[in-house]
Amino acid sequence: MERTLTAITRQVSPSIGRCELTHLERKPIDTARAAEQHRSYEQCLADLGVYVVSLPAEPGLPDSVFVEDAAVVLDEIAVITRPGAPSRRPETRSVAEALRPYRKLCFMEGPGCIDGGDVLRIRKTLHVGLSGRSDTDGIAEMKNLVEPFGYTVRGINVAGCLHLKSAATLVAPDTLLVNGHWVDVRDFAGMRIIEIDPAEPYAANALYVAGSVIYPAAFAATRERLEREGIRVVTVDASELAKAEGAVTCCSLVFEA
Ligand code: CIR
């Protein structure tokens, strides 16, 4: 059977203006514009051949567009996380239901926490950011859940940003785009590293999918670096979602199905 890429997304909540914020000051979010940007993001995934399952908005859950944090989808199972921010924990229920047709589900029970935005999978290793949202107890529970499937789980120190994937994301199978101020590149020995342009601290979050990188239009200088290294980049305007401290990986869960 041919396996295609599937992405779970969720419509922008009308209450996104009340989102969690850690490193950013609150600015008004134009919800109509955010929804329009989100539609373009979904279209971009579809144009890359990804089958998009777009869940309805959750009016009472401001951050629920950022589905990445609610689950870690592996080839064998999907781990439903226990997000670090209590306000975000109810988001997991509907994400679990959306994943149920595709994977056997495992649920984190706590006391530890992990946000999916902290989990960077490189082949059979899950690198988990020790951020304000994910902790050592969460890593211990994740280990118990995924080690039986041959995965290694390791904690990575991050500082200055929300999640590990604010600081480092894959842009090719062997290449990481990194903000070296927020994460230590020596933690990723053996990987090719592309550093962001220092004038664009938020530029390390890129979504590598189907051989291309979906990338915020705002980071032109870093985009140039990626293209110079032979990476195919497709840009999206994600400026309203960025005000909610979200970026391109956060808005989808992409997996083979
Ligand atoms: C939060 O603080 O939880 C949201 N406002 C932003 C979450 C972004 N998610 C991600 O980077 N994976």
Side-chain angles (χ1 to χ4, degrees):
M1 195 181 80
E2 199 186 322
R3 290 167 76 80
T4 53
L5 286 176
T6 296
I8 289 178
T9 60
R10 180 168 15 225
Q11 300 299 298
V12 175
S13 174
S15 63
I16 190 170
R18 296 200 303 272
C19 64
E20 296 281 341
L21 286 177
T22 308
H23 298 278
L24 295 183
E25 269 181 45
R26 196 167 297 279
K27 289 197 189 135
I29 297 178
D30 180 335
T31 46
R33 188 144 182 262
E36 183 51 42
Q37 291 177 352
H38 187 259
R39 262 191 297 281
S40 305
Y41 170 87
E42 291 179 323
Q43 187 57 50
C44 191
L45 283 165
D47 290 346
L48 290 172
V50 179
Y51 175 68
V52 180
V53 178
S54 183
L55 306 179
E58 291 267 14
L61 299 174
D63 280 307
S64 51
V65 66
F66 302 122
V67 288
E68 169 179 57
D69 294 315
V72 176
V73 186
L74 305 174
D75 292 342
E76 303 83 356
I77 52 164
V79 177
I80 307 304
T81 61
R82 182 166 185 269
S87 72
R88 300 203 55 194
R89 291 186 192 144
E91 294 175 27
T92 57
R93 199 168 313 126
S94 49
V95 169
E97 288 320 306
L99 285 168
R100 199 179 287 284
Y102 301 101
R103 292 291 189 278
K104 177 181 181 305
L105 303 181
C106 301
F107 292 82
M108 282 184 64
E109 286 171 2
C113 298
I114 285 190
D115 277 12
D118 273 315
V119 182
L120 172 65
R121 181 172 72 83
I122 303 177
R123 293 177 284 273
K124 293 290 271 189
T125 301
L126 304 187
H127 303 265
V128 182
L130 287 162
S131 68
R133 297 289 176 85
S134 303
D135 56 24
T136 50
D137 284 346
I139 289 178
E141 189 171 7
M142 181 64 83
K143 273 189 185 169
N144 286 336
L145 294 172
V146 306
E147 277 182 352
F149 299 96
Y151 291 89
T152 301
V153 183
R154 61 189 291 248
I156 300 279
N157 290 319
V158 294
C161 59
L162 184 60
H163 290 129
L164 173 59
K165 279 189 275 188
S166 321
T169 53
L170 279 177
V171 290
D174 62 342
T175 308
L176 280 175
L177 178 63
V178 171
N179 177 337
H181 291 291
W182 291 344
V183 78
D184 187 342
V185 292
R186 289 171 300 186
D187 281 330
F188 300 102
M191 296 294 287
R192 180 166 72 122
I193 302 289
I194 302 177
E195 282 272 359
I196 54 143
D197 186 287
E200 299 175 338
Y202 288 91
N205 187 273
L207 178 60
Y208 178 56
V209 58
S212 296
V213 163
I214 300 180
Y215 195 63
F219 307 127
T222 304
R223 174 191 176 177
E224 220 178 287
R225 289 184 180 208
L226 290 170
E227 289 180 331
R228 233 185 291 133
E229 296 292 333
I231 308 243
R232 180 173 184 271
V233 180
V234 187
T235 55
V236 289
D237 182 358
S239 54
E240 289 303 310
L241 297 164
K243 292 180 192 168
E245 222 168 335
V248 287
T249 64
C250 331
C251 294
S252 56
L253 285 162
V254 183
F255 51 88
E256 279 192 0

